[in-house]
Amino acid sequence: MNYSQTDGKRVQAALLIIGDEILSGQTHDKNLPHIAENLNNVGVQLAEVRVVPDIKKEIIDAVNALRRRFDYLFTTGGIGPTHDDITAEAVSEAVGRELIQNQEARRLLEEHFKYNGTEINEARLSMANTPKGAELIRNPISTAPGFRVENVYVMAGVPKIMQAMLDNIIPTLQGGAQKLSRSVLCNLGEGSIAQGLKDIQDKHPDIDIGSYPHYARANYRLSLVIRGFDDKKLQDVQEAIHRMICDLGGDPIRGEELDNQ
Amino acid sequence: MNYSQTDGKRVQAALLIIGDEILSGQTHDKNLPHIAENLNNVGVQLAEVRVVPDIKKEIIDAVNALRRRFDYLFTTGGIGPTHDDITAEAVSEAVGRELIQNQEARRLLEEHFKYNGTEINEARLSMANTPKGAELIRNPISTAPGFRVENVYVMAGVPKIMQAMLDNIIPTLQGGAQKLSRSVLCNLGEGSIAQGLKDIQDKHPDIDIGSYPHYARANYRLSLVIRGFDDKKLQDVQEAIHRMICDLGGDPIRGEELDNQ
């Protein structure tokens, strides 16, 4: 899974989700977890996400804030043929490049429409518009491509199409270290383990320990998730947490033991 | 459903989701759609969402950017008793108020712990910390309260607890107009209806028309969603879209007809 991975380097990305339908609650975003996991597999950590409406100025401001701050910016949504699809235009303005009809994209679309017997019209061809100098991101599902310009990757919002595009992007990324995680589960209250957990966290400042209570149906469960870049350290912290919970009379189980049950 | 609703006024909110577990993809946020729908029921539209990690500076910067820009800011996550729960501290710094032990919160927690026979310790009592002058947001599930300070509402991340807190917040909000929506479904391609849809959109600048293709299993379906504040206008636009699709030989169905099938 380690494409172009440079040991030790931290590489961070942001995700910009574009669409009124997410903000209204009508559509539930399913792309965030998929993108987060696939990026981390090649050593890129998702460090911020924003959701903005289909308003050009909002998209431009968010693109500029995020592309400057992170190594990579990924966007989803707003690249279809209808009037509410304004991502290509907004990203062009954000990066200060002219919006042009990309000839390679036009050729791909025309071939696809001819093959399917679909009428070629202005709206459909608008899906060939990209900022000048952009590289296409192909997708075998609907053919209409996404694009990369500088460090901004523009993808579709429909999950299957987004996933196909991301599959094509992943091998091209220059990742750093992959963030690893280990966990310990128990049924003690957060308040009972908080002091011991803090002591362990304080001893390991380069490891992040998160505490997540779950109340699935009537079953309470506490997940302690240990994240970092060095598995040897994660293992040490996992053992320290395991011991601490035993000492408190809890009944800890390591995440990997649960996976094997 | 219309609490304190002021006709015509637009009231907007932002949501700040706090947590490494969302950015890593390990936990899938379920709060956004619930919050969006419940706010809109009382005339408050969600206009931006951000997800940030458990890093104090990131939380402070996002709180300050969003609370200044929108009428209301809601946050989820980071209010438990463990070391990674830093939302109260971060919000205190963001609004420039001292973090204090809220005496009412302390009393609620102590009563609850005594009733349950739970040990009272420093970590558990840290859940009583709020910015000075904050108002508590009660929750009957776990007792540990959220709080409001100025226009910032701090809630838990666990969905059931967040929902209980939101139920207590909703009647206190000063909402404006409720955003309404109507829809037309069909199985035409987006590219086939794009020009007609744009013409209708151009004639109704105060209405937002969104076009959303779905590829559920093998079934393609196109949802055209019409959003705005005046149902008479929504109805006019819905009829115009319905006619346009009929003219194109499509087989349109209004959203409310589908609901009744």
Side-chain angles (χ1 to χ4, degrees):
Chain A
M1 299 284 250
N2 297 344
Y3 305 93
S4 328
Q5 208 159 300
T6 318
D7 262 0
K9 220 179 89 187
R10 303 285 179 267
V11 179
Q12 291 191 318
L15 169 63
L16 179 62
I17 299 170
I18 299 164
D20 292 350
E21 73 280 18
I22 306 287
L23 289 170
S24 73
Q26 277 166 328
T27 299
H28 299 204
D29 171 73
K30 292 186 179 70
N31 292 328
L32 192 169
H34 181 90
I35 293 171
E37 284 164 20
N38 281 273
L39 289 181
N40 186 46
N41 285 341
V42 292
V44 177
Q45 281 82 48
L46 195 60
E48 181 166 339
V49 178
R50 294 193 191 180
V51 189
V52 296
D54 300 319
I55 297 175
K56 201 160 76 169
K57 186 181 178 315
E58 301 295 325
I59 301 171
I60 292 173
D61 288 350
V63 165
N64 277 333
L66 297 171
R67 76 185 178 101
R68 288 179 184 141
R69 211 171 145 213
F70 298 101
D71 300 297
Y72 295 112
L73 169 60
F74 298 86
T75 77
T76 60
I79 64 165
T82 52
H83 65 274
D84 54 330
D85 291 305
I86 57 173
T87 302
E89 206 183 317
V91 170
S92 287
E93 269 195 56
V95 299
R97 296 186 185 214
E98 195 188 342
L99 184 73
I100 58 151
Q101 189 179 62
N102 183 299
Q103 291 311 302
E104 186 190 350
R106 184 185 173 128
R107 191 182 51 72
L108 286 171
L109 287 168
E110 283 182 340
E111 266 175 24
H112 174 70
F113 295 145
K114 271 177 201 154
Y115 181 82
N116 285 320
T118 308
E119 180 210 359
I120 298 175
N121 60 26
E122 201 187 327
R124 288 204 165 92
L125 286 181
S126 74
M127 292 191 289
N129 292 347
T130 70
K132 202 169 177 175
E135 235 173 53
L136 299 186
I137 302 167
R138 304 275 194 112
N139 96 76
I141 312 280
S142 69
T143 302
F147 61 84
R148 176 193 71 77
V149 60
E150 300 177 16
N151 65 339
V152 184
Y153 293 73
V154 172
M155 303 188 289
V158 174
K160 270 187 196 166
I161 301 178
M162 189 287 297
Q163 288 164 23
M165 289 182 178
L166 191 64
D167 287 346
N168 285 329
I169 294 169
I170 286 289
T172 71
L173 300 176
Q174 301 291 319
Q178 188 178 351
K179 203 161 199 175
L180 305 169
S181 80
R182 287 179 169 267
S183 64
V184 180
L185 290 94
C186 68
N187 52 16
L188 295 179
E190 278 197 292
S192 302
I193 56 97
Q195 186 57 52
L197 203 67
K198 184 180 184 309
D199 293 342
I200 296 170
Q201 174 71 81
D202 287 346
K203 271 185 216 142
H204 300 87
D206 51 347
I207 297 289
D208 292 321
I209 308 173
S211 170
Y212 308 109
H214 301 270
Y215 306 84
R217 287 172 294 269
N219 292 318
Y220 169 80
R221 202 187 60 194
L222 181 62
S223 297
L224 303 167
V225 179
I226 310 146
R227 300 187 190 90
F229 295 92
D230 178 343
D231 193 49
K232 177 71 188 63
K233 287 186 188 171
L234 294 190
Q235 234 174 318
D236 291 348
V237 172
Q238 187 182 33
E239 288 316 304
I241 292 175
H242 195 275
R243 265 195 313 278
M244 185 256 298
I245 292 169
C246 285
D247 292 348
L248 290 169
D251 198 16
I253 178 164
R254 297 173 189 85
E256 63 270 27
E257 292 166 348
L258 197 73
D259 297 339
N260 296 333
Q261 271 185 345
Chain B
M1 300 281 251
N2 297 343
Y3 305 93
S4 327
Q5 208 160 299
T6 318
D7 262 359
K9 220 179 88 188
R10 303 285 179 267
V11 179
Q12 293 191 318
L15 169 63
L16 179 61
I17 299 170
I18 298 164
D20 293 349
E21 73 280 18
I22 306 286
L23 289 171
S24 73
Q26 277 166 328
T27 300
H28 299 204
D29 170 73
K30 292 186 180 69
N31 292 329
L32 192 169
H34 181 90
I35 292 171
E37 284 163 19
N38 281 274
L39 289 181
N40 187 47
N41 284 342
V42 292
V44 178
Q45 282 81 47
L46 195 60
E48 181 166 339
V49 178
R50 295 193 191 180
V51 188
V52 296
D54 300 319
I55 297 175
K56 201 161 76 169
K57 186 182 179 313
E58 301 295 326
I59 301 170
I60 292 173
D61 288 351
V63 165
N64 277 333
L66 296 171
R67 76 186 179 100
R68 288 178 184 141
R69 213 173 141 210
F70 298 101
D71 300 298
Y72 295 111
L73 168 61
F74 298 87
T75 77
T76 59
I79 64 164
T82 52
H83 65 274
D84 54 330
D85 291 304
I86 57 174
T87 301
E89 206 183 317
V91 170
S92 287
E93 269 196 55
V95 299
R97 296 186 185 214
E98 195 188 343
L99 184 73
I100 57 150
Q101 189 179 63
N102 183 300
Q103 292 310 303
E104 187 190 350
R106 184 185 173 126
R107 191 183 51 73
L108 286 171
L109 287 169
E110 283 182 340
E111 266 175 24
H112 175 70
F113 295 144
K114 271 177 200 154
Y115 181 82
N116 285 320
T118 307
E119 180 209 0
I120 298 175
N121 60 27
E122 199 187 328
R124 287 204 166 92
L125 286 181
S126 75
M127 292 190 289
N129 292 347
T130 70
K132 202 169 177 173
E135 235 173 54
L136 299 185
I137 302 166
R138 304 275 194 114
N139 96 76
I141 312 279
S142 69
T143 302
F147 61 84
R148 176 192 72 77
V149 61
E150 301 178 15
N151 65 339
V152 184
Y153 293 74
V154 172
M155 304 188 288
V158 174
K160 270 187 197 168
I161 301 177
M162 189 287 297
Q163 288 164 23
M165 289 181 177
L166 191 64
D167 287 347
N168 285 330
I169 294 169
I170 286 289
T172 71
L173 300 177
Q174 301 291 319
Q178 187 178 351
K179 203 162 199 174
L180 305 169
S181 80
R182 287 180 169 266
S183 64
V184 180
L185 291 94
C186 68
N187 52 16
L188 295 179
E190 279 196 292
S192 302
I193 56 96
Q195 185 57 53
L197 203 66
K198 184 180 184 311
D199 293 343
I200 296 169
Q201 174 70 82
D202 287 347
K203 270 185 218 143
H204 300 87
D206 51 347
I207 297 289
D208 292 320
I209 309 173
S211 171
Y212 309 109
H214 301 271
Y215 306 85
R217 288 174 293 270
N219 292 318
Y220 169 80
R221 202 187 61 194
L222 181 63
S223 297
L224 303 167
V225 179
I226 310 146
R227 299 187 189 89
F229 295 92
D230 178 343
D231 193 49
K232 177 71 188 64
K233 287 186 187 171
L234 295 189
Q235 233 174 319
D236 291 347
V237 171
Q238 187 183 34
E239 288 316 305
I241 292 175
H242 195 276
R243 265 196 312 278
M244 185 256 299
I245 292 169
C246 285
D247 291 348
L248 290 169
D251 198 17
I253 178 163
R254 296 173 190 83
E256 63 270 27
E257 292 167 349
L258 197 73
D259 296 341
N260 295 333
Q261 272 185 345

